[in-house]
Amino acid sequence: MHLDSSVLIVIFVILSLLFGALIKSVSKTLSSPYCVILLLAGLSLGFFGRTAQIQANFPGLKSALTNLAEVDPHLILLLFLPTLIFESAFSMDPHLFKRISKQIMVLAVPGLILSTLLTAVFTFYLFPWQWSWTVCFLFGALISATDPVAVVSLLKEISSRKRLETLIEGESLLNDGTAIVFFSLFYGLLTSGGQANLNIMAISGSFISVVLLGLLIGLAVGAVFLFWIGRLFNQAIIEITLTISAAYIAYFIAENIFDVSGVVAVVSLGLLVASVGRTRISPEVTVFLHHFWQMMAHIANTLIFILVGIIIASRIRLDNWEWWATLAGLYLGIQIIRALMVFTFMPILKDAGINKNKAIVVIWGGLRGAVSLALALIIAQDNFLAKELGDQILFLTAGIVVLTIVINASSMSLLLRYFGLDKLSEAKQASLIKAQQSIQQHLANDLVLLQQHEFLQRADWKSLSKPRNDAQPVSPLLEADFLVAFRRRLLETERQFYWSQFSQGSLTAQATKHLVTAVEFALDGNAEISPRKTLFDSWKTPAYIRWFYHIPFVNYLVVDLSFERLSLSYDTARGFIQGQEEIQKHLQSLSPSEQDRQVVEQEIENNKKQTRLYIEKIRDNFPELSYSLETYAAHRLLLHLERVYLNDLINQGVFNDSEAKKLTREIEYKIIHLTQPPHHISPKEISKQLALMPWAKGVKEKSMFLLSHLAIRQIYSNDELIFRQNKNASAIALLLHGKVVLISSTHEEIVETGAIIGVYALLSNRFNISAKAITPVELIWLNIEPLKKIIAKDKQLGEMFASHLEHESHRG
């Protein structure tokens, strides 16, 4: 078989992946990070391609290496960046990214601008080639951006501090957009002979448009694909295919159609899928999806580092010692410049917990990689620029890529170990030891049963049951920090419980989102278990909704929305109690002391008490709603359990493939088409409710019909003010469900379902009392002027309102 260059490139891909698998297999015996070994392998292959022996003995290999070395830099970015950027953003903790987004943006935008400026000054005055300011700024822009490919590959291998990792990774993901703006600006200025506009406003406008449009494109593409994915259920192949398509489409549209930052587009897409998309993607697919993208990133990382090594070794000049001396000075210079940049913004970085030691890690983690090299290749391949200039920029960029990856990446683990950042914090480590002690206690309890097992009685239990001495006592000085770590671990356990309940069908997507958000707000502060103000406040109806109640047609939508919020609050309250009961199980095994356990347990009991009180109010005042919601939840859970039992039988081989697919489709069809009970009530149904009121006896049927068509429904949360004394009134209210306290200057009175309130407004068009909901309340408003006409034609109705009017006059 003739092996031409295209076949050899395919073989190169296969052998690269095989080499990567070999490196991973012996990773414990290697001291260098994965990316460093791959880069060195690519450099070796590239340098071998420059020898005389390869042309004589392996002409096909020589041709393949030449094709690889001359690959279009735009193709490199299009082929690899969407995969690597999306996987990095998708695997990032969206909540943590949001918490330190200010620090990330500071490093990515003003930080990169400062680095570009300092690098330009450095190159202008210290380089021996007398570059123009345009070239200096161009080079400063392309060399200042830390490369997300190199940084992410390194941090995921050796980091143990999530916040530090997210800061460095987030900076590397976002500062690419800033770098490309300035690179494009100065590249345009260079190729146009110095006629481009350097106006500050023009630069700012260009930057904002590139970043903002990239952000919007990523969000728009994400919204379309998540809408599509949200209409699927447990179709792993389709859902994963859609995420691949979304990443590449977002990048292509941004870069090639709108000429804005494709990296920013893919980052925003990845974060959107990681946050909003987590409840849109089928729970059964989520784990598989993460594994798939980890595999995609591994393949892309393996290929791109070897490819970068080949390109660098094949294309740079090696015969000019002046260039090598300049490269050495540049390497030292960019380290100093990055240090100046980071310490300039230290007052802001401290808010994210970045101290001096972590700042040094941030400085040393400023790796350069494929993005900088691709930009340098664009310059080197431009026939309109001097070849000497292109070769100089390519040499320096390639050298910095190699030096930062080989030196910085290889020594990063030593730096982390020196500062003690390769381990958990002392408080977290103590909490972990406490959990390990709990595991050992469980093992000790099971030991007796294991020793009696029929096939284990001859085991050397004496040697296996020796006590472990790896647990260390907790320092009293750490007790406060240990308590915070204890609370945080409980909250993280609670958050994971909600995701688990969502995957099992016990929680709806919206309820899961609300509960997880409440936990994350608790984690933002002092890790307080109670009170959960964010969650409790979400059960209240927002004030702005009341503005829409009296708008025709919109009213029906708002009432339905209010009922959906009430249903959601009931679902979240039920899930919240289950979450509190779950973390109660871990108190004994994780608590630093008995006193702390009692304190936290009391906080959990307070949460449960407040939530149960809220649930009881809904059950007492909206019994039909609670019945229908619990029936819906039970039906949903039964269907998911039925699917779990079916999968167990399938795994045991009870059904063949065709039978399994048929049975699975039947259950999933029921799950997909399971709908919540409707909240909309027609005027006819309202008329039926009014007919059941104590005062309705003797009222004309036509009057009830007119009242039902006049009614405007509204929902109030408990403790919400319905109307205030002496305020103008255009309608009075009739309670359908719930309890209201009527407040005057002299006394208070509680009224329940069926009561008519605000009747005094029939005389004066103002309220003579105040009314406040003390439970969730559903009522209808009856407009005063049409109501007077109905009352005038119905004697019984008029007498009833007269009685209420007299009673309310005495109240006021």
Side-chain angles (χ1 to χ4, degrees):
M1 176 182 178
H2 174 65
L3 298 180
D4 60 15
S5 58
S6 58
V7 175
L8 286 172
I9 289 175
V10 174
I11 295 175
F12 159 76
V13 172
I14 296 171
L15 292 178
S16 296
L17 296 178
L18 187 62
F19 178 71
L22 176 63
I23 298 303
K24 287 288 186 180
S25 299
V26 296
S27 58
K28 291 184 178 180
T29 63
L30 298 173
S31 58
S32 297
Y34 183 66
C35 61
V36 175
I37 298 173
L38 294 177
L39 180 65
L40 293 176
L43 288 171
S44 301
L45 196 55
F47 284 128
F48 177 66
R50 300 178 67 157
T51 63
Q53 290 85 354
I54 190 172
Q55 183 63 49
N57 301 318
F58 308 100
L61 178 59
K62 170 66 175 178
S63 176
L65 290 175
T66 301
N67 290 338
L68 288 172
E70 294 178 354
V71 66
D72 186 346
H74 295 95
L75 179 61
I76 296 175
L77 298 177
L78 177 61
L79 185 61
F80 293 107
L81 276 191
T83 292
L84 293 165
I85 299 300
F86 180 85
E87 191 277 334
S88 177
F90 178 53
S91 62
M92 196 179 293
D93 184 346
H95 178 67
L96 184 55
F97 182 88
K98 181 180 177 182
R99 284 175 61 187
I100 61 174
S101 59
K102 180 176 72 173
Q103 288 75 24
I104 291 173
M105 292 303 298
V106 164
L107 292 178
V109 182
L112 186 129
I113 293 173
L114 178 60
S115 296
T116 299
L117 175 62
L118 294 175
T119 304
V121 174
F122 178 85
T123 56
F124 183 82
Y125 287 107
L126 297 181
F127 279 14
W129 305 309
Q130 296 182 338
W131 282 356
S132 67
W133 277 111
T134 304
V135 175
C136 291
F137 275 102
L138 173 71
F139 181 73
L142 74 87
I143 206 66
S144 294
T146 56
D147 185 72
V149 178
V151 172
V152 171
S153 175
L154 172 68
L155 291 176
K156 288 188 176 179
E157 193 170 348
I158 64 175
S159 175
S160 65
R161 297 300 176 97
K162 196 67 178 176
R163 185 176 300 193
L164 180 62
E165 176 186 333
T166 303
L167 177 66
I168 301 176
E169 186 176 347
E171 178 206 1
S172 69
L173 288 174
L174 294 182
N175 66 11
D176 173 70
T178 312
I180 289 177
V181 171
F182 289 102
F183 174 83
S184 301
L185 172 70
F186 292 110
Y187 184 56
L189 180 62
L190 188 64
T191 55
S192 64
Q195 300 303 314
N197 188 6
L198 277 179
N199 182 273
I200 294 297
M201 294 301 295
I203 296 174
S204 301
S206 177
F207 168 73
I208 292 173
S209 64
V210 165
V211 174
L212 186 59
L213 280 176
L215 174 69
L216 293 176
I217 289 169
L219 294 177
V221 171
V224 171
F225 278 86
L226 285 180
F227 175 77
W228 189 346
I229 290 173
R231 303 185 70 82
L232 304 173
F233 183 78
N234 197 21
Q235 299 189 49
I237 294 176
I238 300 176
E239 294 180 46
I240 291 174
T241 301
L242 290 177
T243 60
I244 300 171
S245 303
Y248 279 89
I249 287 173
Y251 185 86
F252 183 83
I253 290 175
E255 289 284 342
N256 297 279
I257 297 179
F258 290 93
D259 196 25
V260 297
S261 176
V263 171
V264 172
V266 178
V267 169
S268 62
L269 169 68
L271 290 173
L272 182 69
V273 174
S275 54
V276 176
R278 186 161 183 183
T279 54
R280 299 292 181 87
I281 297 168
S282 302
E284 301 81 356
V285 179
T286 301
V287 175
F288 183 25
L289 181 64
H290 276 281
H291 289 326
F292 171 82
W293 275 104
Q294 287 172 359
M295 185 63 198
M296 287 276 287
H298 168 72
I299 293 173
N301 267 318
T302 302
L303 295 177
I304 198 170
F305 280 109
I306 295 178
L307 182 60
V308 164
I310 291 173
I311 292 173
I312 291 173
S314 301
R315 300 195 57 168
I316 63 171
R317 289 175 54 179
L318 304 174
D319 57 349
N320 194 320
W321 289 105
E322 182 184 48
W323 290 14
W324 288 98
T326 305
L327 173 61
L330 176 63
Y331 174 74
L332 295 175
I334 64 170
Q335 304 304 323
I336 296 172
I337 288 170
R338 182 161 176 81
L340 290 174
M341 183 272 288
V342 170
F343 283 109
T344 298
F345 296 107
M346 269 300 288
I348 298 175
L349 297 179
K350 285 180 179 178
D351 294 338
I354 302 299
N355 54 27
K356 182 180 177 181
N357 293 344
K358 292 179 181 179
I360 294 174
V361 173
V362 172
I363 294 167
W364 204 241
L367 309 182
R368 274 66 166 181
V371 172
S372 296
L373 183 64
L375 296 179
L377 285 170
I378 292 173
I379 298 173
Q381 293 180 0
D382 193 327
N383 295 326
F384 293 99
L385 299 177
K387 186 177 184 305
E388 182 79 3
L389 174 63
D391 289 344
Q392 289 168 351
I393 291 177
L394 180 59
F395 175 85
L396 293 176
T397 304
I400 292 301
V401 169
V402 172
L403 290 174
T404 55
I405 292 178
V406 172
I407 298 176
N408 294 42
S410 296
S411 57
M412 181 63 82
S413 59
L414 297 175
L415 188 66
L416 291 172
R417 192 177 305 120
Y418 177 78
F419 290 129
L421 297 174
D422 60 332
K423 301 174 183 153
L424 295 173
S425 65
E426 292 179 314
K428 286 187 176 181
Q429 184 65 31
S431 177
L432 183 63
I433 290 172
K434 182 73 175 179
Q436 289 174 328
Q437 291 172 344
S438 174
I439 294 173
Q440 294 304 313
Q441 183 61 47
H442 283 295
L443 285 176
N445 295 337
D446 294 336
L447 189 61
V448 176
L449 294 177
L450 290 173
Q451 289 173 339
Q452 297 173 356
H453 193 280
E454 178 183 0
F455 300 109
L456 299 176
Q457 292 179 2
R458 295 175 63 84
D460 185 4
W461 287 107
K462 186 176 181 180
S463 62
L464 295 176
S465 58
K466 288 181 180 179
R468 294 174 56 180
N469 297 319
D470 53 355
Q472 301 173 1
V474 180
S475 169
L477 297 176
L478 294 175
E479 285 183 359
D481 292 338
F482 191 11
L483 179 57
V484 172
F486 165 54
R487 293 175 187 270
R488 286 190 176 278
R489 199 170 290 277
L490 287 176
L491 288 169
E492 288 164 358
T493 302
E494 181 183 346
R495 177 172 57 180
Q496 186 56 42
F497 172 77
Y498 296 139
W499 286 121
S500 174
Q501 292 297 293
F502 170 65
S503 66
Q504 295 172 17
S506 299
L507 278 177
T508 63
Q510 284 296 319
T512 304
K513 182 179 177 181
H514 276 67
L515 289 167
V516 169
T517 301
V519 173
E520 289 174 343
F521 269 100
L523 285 167
D524 278 345
N526 296 322
E528 294 181 347
I529 302 296
S530 178
R532 298 291 178 85
K533 190 174 184 300
T534 303
L535 181 63
F536 299 153
D537 287 346
S538 71
W539 296 342
K540 299 178 181 178
T541 304
Y544 66 84
I545 286 183
R546 292 199 296 271
W547 295 355
F548 299 98
Y549 271 115
H550 299 284
I551 301 177
F553 305 110
V554 177
N555 164 260
Y556 297 106
L557 297 176
V558 174
V559 170
D560 286 349
L561 176 62
S562 297
F563 261 103
E564 287 177 5
R565 289 182 59 84
L566 188 61
S567 302
L568 176 61
S569 68
Y570 187 85
D571 207 14
T572 56
R574 178 178 56 82
F576 183 58
I577 288 179
Q578 293 174 334
Q580 299 306 291
E581 291 173 344
E582 175 66 21
I583 63 176
Q584 268 185 313
K585 300 175 183 177
H586 301 279
L587 291 180
Q588 190 65 44
S589 60
L590 296 178
S591 60
S593 67
E594 178 61 22
Q595 181 181 358
D596 291 329
R597 186 196 65 78
Q598 292 177 359
V599 170
V600 173
E601 185 161 27
Q602 184 58 52
E603 293 176 356
I604 293 174
E605 289 298 331
N606 291 340
N607 284 341
K608 291 166 62 177
K609 181 180 179 181
Q610 187 170 352
T611 306
R612 289 188 189 281
L613 181 61
Y614 179 76
I615 288 177
E616 290 303 320
K617 287 181 178 179
I618 295 180
R619 284 176 171 173
D620 292 343
N621 297 285
F622 292 84
E624 300 89 352
L625 178 65
S626 62
Y627 293 151
S628 61
L629 288 175
E630 292 184 18
T631 302
Y632 168 77
H635 193 184
R636 185 178 70 241
L637 183 58
L638 283 173
L639 287 173
H640 280 273
L641 287 174
E642 184 179 354
R643 188 174 54 159
V644 170
Y645 299 148
L646 175 61
N647 288 334
D648 288 341
L649 293 177
I650 292 172
N651 293 333
Q652 295 168 17
V654 176
F655 304 108
N656 60 38
D657 289 344
S658 61
E659 293 171 336
K661 289 179 180 178
K662 180 181 179 182
L663 294 172
T664 301
R665 280 198 301 267
E666 290 176 357
I667 296 176
E668 291 182 348
Y669 179 85
K670 295 177 183 177
I671 294 175
I672 293 171
H673 293 84
L674 180 64
T675 57
Q676 286 191 347
H679 304 303
H680 179 71
I681 300 179
S682 65
K684 184 177 180 180
E685 292 168 319
I686 294 178
S687 179
K688 290 180 180 180
Q689 290 189 32
L690 294 179
L692 298 175
M693 300 296 175
W695 48 262
K697 187 177 181 180
V699 177
K700 295 179 180 178
E701 185 176 341
K702 182 178 180 180
S703 298
M704 302 300 287
F705 173 81
L706 293 174
L707 288 175
S708 66
H709 281 75
L710 184 62
I712 299 176
R713 295 173 69 216
Q714 191 167 353
I715 305 296
Y716 289 87
S717 302
N718 53 302
D719 296 326
E720 188 175 353
L721 187 68
I722 299 174
F723 54 76
R724 191 182 300 278
Q725 187 175 15
N726 295 324
K727 289 293 183 179
N728 293 334
S730 60
I732 63 174
L734 189 154
L735 266 65
L736 294 181
H737 296 99
K739 296 180 182 179
V740 171
V741 59
L742 303 177
I743 307 169
S744 68
S745 57
T746 56
H747 70 286
E748 296 182 359
E749 180 183 354
I750 295 176
V751 295
E752 301 183 5
T753 300
I756 302 176
I757 58 176
V759 184
Y760 190 79
L762 288 169
L763 296 179
S764 62
N765 290 104
R766 67 178 180 84
F767 297 118
N768 70 327
I769 55 175
S770 296
K772 182 179 180 182
I774 56 175
T775 69
V777 166
E778 178 189 7
L779 56 76
I780 58 175
W781 289 100
L782 303 172
N783 195 284
I784 291 175
E785 296 306 320
L787 178 61
K788 287 180 178 179
K789 295 178 182 180
I790 298 172
I791 293 174
K793 297 178 181 180
D794 191 322
K795 180 180 178 182
Q796 179 64 31
L797 190 63
E799 290 177 355
M800 183 273 294
F801 273 102
S803 174
H804 276 77
L805 181 60
E806 181 181 0
H807 182 65
E808 191 167 292
S809 298
H810 289 307
R811 289 197 200 110

